[in-house]
Amino acid sequence: MTAVPAVHCQLLAHCQPLDGAQGVPTVPAQRKARREYENQVDGHPSWTGPADAPGTAVAVDCLTLKSNSRLSSLVSPEKTDLRREAGRRTRDDLLAAALELLAQRGQEGVTLREITQNAGANVAAVSYHFGSLKALCEVTIEHALERYLDAQIRELDALGGAATLSELAEAFARPMMSALAAGGRDLAVIRIVARVGIEPPEGWERLAGKFELARRQAVRVLAVNLPDIDRHELDFRVRCAAGMLNWLALAPVGAELATEPADRIERMLIPVVAGAFRGAR
């Protein structure tokens, strides 16, 4: 035992009876383990309390130990902080592993074992932090979508009232172009966004407000540049431009484009998006 014996005795005192007392049935295997633990406490060289202090009169199941403020006070704040930090790291590692696999295969192609192996975590960690594989995937997708939409909304919101179609196209495609140039985690986020855009998962409506805000901002600039086109058609063009970017993130041509320098990505992509906004004349 590595803790002070008195601490172990306090833990034992707050455990649940197992010897049939108070209507609790006897559990032989757990009672045996409890008594072995008591013997270690009794036999510890630094234990000087009365012989019956830890005692064997009441056998308890330490597996059913209930947390309370008195027990929490037995654990140092430093150890508590270290455990919390380790928990945060595990949660972040699971999200990162899920992000990478979801970007490659989509939600249907991801397994719990692969995620935990890539994260260096055990299967129980997924249940502890998220509840299930489905919930982990949903949280990962939602984070990716929010990250993309927030970046796109910031770019569109910065456009002035006299912005041109090329400037609109640059702002609209900026998150995609940045991810293609950066690669790695940024590109994984974009690919998840692209998969969701093509095949929206259940519950994605939670972010419908942000999708709508991005479209409204784009339509606002389009309406100034194309006053003869009705709003419904302008909204359609924005949706088409978004679909084109989603396809690009997943198609082989997108992988080819990702090998180009950032300035060349912009020169190649901005006119294409601007053309989708402008339409035929």
Side-chain angles (χ1 to χ4, degrees), residues 2-281:
T2 58
V4 177
V7 172
H8 291 283
C9 292
Q10 291 182 60
L11 291 173
L12 292 172
H14 288 90
C15 291
Q16 184 71 24
L18 275 182
D19 279 342
Q22 302 177 9
V24 180
T26 301
V27 183
Q30 292 175 342
R31 182 176 60 188
K32 179 182 177 182
R34 163 60 168 74
R35 286 177 176 169
E36 289 177 353
Y37 179 67
E38 286 176 343
N39 291 335
Q40 292 184 53
V41 176
D42 288 335
H44 197 281
S46 61
W47 173 247
T48 58
D52 63 346
T56 56
V58 179
V60 299
D61 176 17
C62 288
L63 297 176
T64 59
L65 184 66
K66 297 182 179 179
S67 299
N68 54 53
S69 58
R70 286 176 294 178
L71 289 179
S72 298
S73 66
L74 301 177
V75 182
S76 67
E78 293 80 5
K79 290 183 178 180
T80 300
D81 290 341
L82 287 174
R83 284 201 297 269
R84 287 175 180 169
E85 180 59 30
R88 282 193 292 268
R89 285 198 302 270
T90 298
R91 189 177 191 277
D92 290 344
D93 289 344
L94 288 169
L95 286 169
L99 180 71
E100 181 180 351
L101 291 170
L102 285 168
Q104 294 172 2
R105 307 176 196 165
Q107 191 166 351
E108 298 303 320
V110 172
T111 67
L112 181 61
R113 185 169 298 279
E114 283 180 309
I115 290 177
T116 53
Q117 285 179 345
N118 288 9
N122 56 46
V123 173
V126 174
S127 296
Y128 177 80
H129 289 287
F130 301 97
S132 66
L133 172 61
K134 183 175 182 291
L136 168 58
C137 290
E138 288 176 349
V139 170
T140 304
I141 291 170
E142 187 167 338
H143 283 184
L145 279 171
E146 281 195 294
R147 180 175 172 179
Y148 175 81
L149 289 170
D150 287 344
Q152 189 176 61
I153 288 169
R154 283 195 302 270
E155 293 288 337
L156 293 170
D157 194 48
L159 293 174
T164 65
L165 290 180
S166 290
E167 290 171 335
L168 171 61
E170 181 178 357
F172 192 79
R174 172 61 58 194
M176 174 69 71
M177 295 187 297
S178 297
L180 288 170
R185 183 180 177 87
D186 289 345
L187 187 54
V189 168
I190 291 298
R191 284 177 173 159
I192 287 179
V193 171
R195 291 185 184 278
V196 171
I198 294 172
E199 297 180 9
E202 181 182 352
W204 76 281
E205 296 86 356
R206 289 190 298 270
L207 296 174
K210 289 192 174 183
F211 279 105
E212 180 60 28
L213 177 58
R215 284 198 300 271
R216 275 204 317 268
Q217 289 176 322
V219 169
R220 169 180 58 83
V221 178
L222 282 179
V224 174
N225 284 270
L226 303 169
D228 296 331
I229 308 297
D230 65 67
R231 292 281 179 143
H232 179 75
E233 185 173 342
L234 294 178
D235 184 78
F236 175 77
R237 293 186 185 187
V238 171
R239 290 173 181 268
C240 286
M244 180 176 62
L245 292 175
N246 289 338
W247 173 83
L248 181 66
L250 300 174
V253 66
E256 295 172 11
L257 190 60
T259 64
E260 301 287 349
D263 58 343
R264 182 166 173 78
I265 292 175
E266 292 185 15
R267 287 200 306 272
M268 295 175 70
L269 190 54
I270 290 174
V272 175
V273 178
F277 287 147
R278 183 178 297 109
R281 290 190 174 181

